[in-house]
């Protein structure tokens, strides 16, 4: 199972637009057996996605290409044995709660990309 956490900037994004992204993502992620959480403070997005390795990598590359945000920085990418989230989908969290989960994963697996398989090329 793979864990990816990233941060990005979405300055032009309204809270309504963000809510509709999350609504779509919730169903789409559940279908791919991906779980996770997302936070948005009106400017900065932080998101964690966890699930089957390939699906998580592919979703991250799709999200990274999305023009509704920019400056996507990969915080952690790790091979994990169990998810911190109950059930599939995408929950909304406060930035501080999401940061704590990201820190806990980092403590366990190290920061940056520690996965044994490289992230596929973005085309
Ligand atoms: C900040 C941000 C987070 C996103 N998170 C997800 C996500 O977790 N799951 C997802 O399916 N799409 C997510 N998206 C949307 C994808 O980038 C993309 O638009 C979507 O997967 C395309 O879905 P479609 O092929 O059904 O049109 C996110 C977009 C943004 C800007």
């Amino acid at each position: 199972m793979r864990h990816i956490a990233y941060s990005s900037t979405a300055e032009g994004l309204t809270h309504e637009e963000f809510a509709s992204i999350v609504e779509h993502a919730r169903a789409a992620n559940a279908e791919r057996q991906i779980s996770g959480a997302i936070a948005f403070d009106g400017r900065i997005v932080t998101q964690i996605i966890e699930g089957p390795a390939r699906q998580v990598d592919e979703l991250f590359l799709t999200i990274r290409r999305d023009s509704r945000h920019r400056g996507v920085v990969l915080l952690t990418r790790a091979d994990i044995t169990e998810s911190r989230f109950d059930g599939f989908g995408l929950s909304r969290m406060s930035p501080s709660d999401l940061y704590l989960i990201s820190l806990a994963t980092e403590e366990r697996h190290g920061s940056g990309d520690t996965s044994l398989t490289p992230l596929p090329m973005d085309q």
Side-chain angles (χ1 to χ4, degrees):
M1 192 185 294
R2 186 152 294 144
H3 163 106
I4 284 183
Y6 76 85
S7 204
S8 66
T9 310
E11 264 156 355
L13 197 69
T14 66
H15 284 281
E16 288 72 32
E17 285 163 342
F18 176 72
S20 97
I21 290 174
V22 174
E23 199 183 316
H24 172 94
R26 200 163 264 160
N29 293 6
E31 245 168 59
R32 297 179 190 127
Q33 297 180 296
I34 289 174
S35 61
I38 192 164
F40 178 55
D41 67 359
R43 200 171 88 87
I44 304 291
V45 174
T46 310
Q47 184 175 13
I48 295 175
I49 47 176
E50 295 185 343
R54 249 191 54 176
Q55 274 96 310
V56 168
D57 281 351
E58 281 172 9
L59 177 58
F60 174 65
L61 295 180
T62 300
I63 294 172
R64 194 165 71 176
R65 280 196 296 266
D66 198 308
S67 60
R68 290 171 288 187
H69 63 167
R70 61 185 172 80
V72 174
V73 174
L74 182 72
L75 302 173
T76 42
R77 178 170 172 270
D79 297 320
I80 57 171
T81 49
E82 56 183 70
S83 173
R84 290 184 175 269
F85 302 100
D86 291 330
F88 303 121
L90 186 67
S91 59
R92 288 179 67 163
M93 276 191 183
S94 69
S96 52
D97 282 348
L98 206 139
Y99 181 61
L100 285 179
I101 296 185
S102 176
L103 268 188
T105 308
E106 205 178 297
E107 251 166 43
R108 196 173 214 189
H109 298 276
S111 61
D113 190 349
T114 59
S115 174
L116 295 176
T117 47
L119 192 61
M121 292 294 286
D122 207 355
Q123 51 250 303

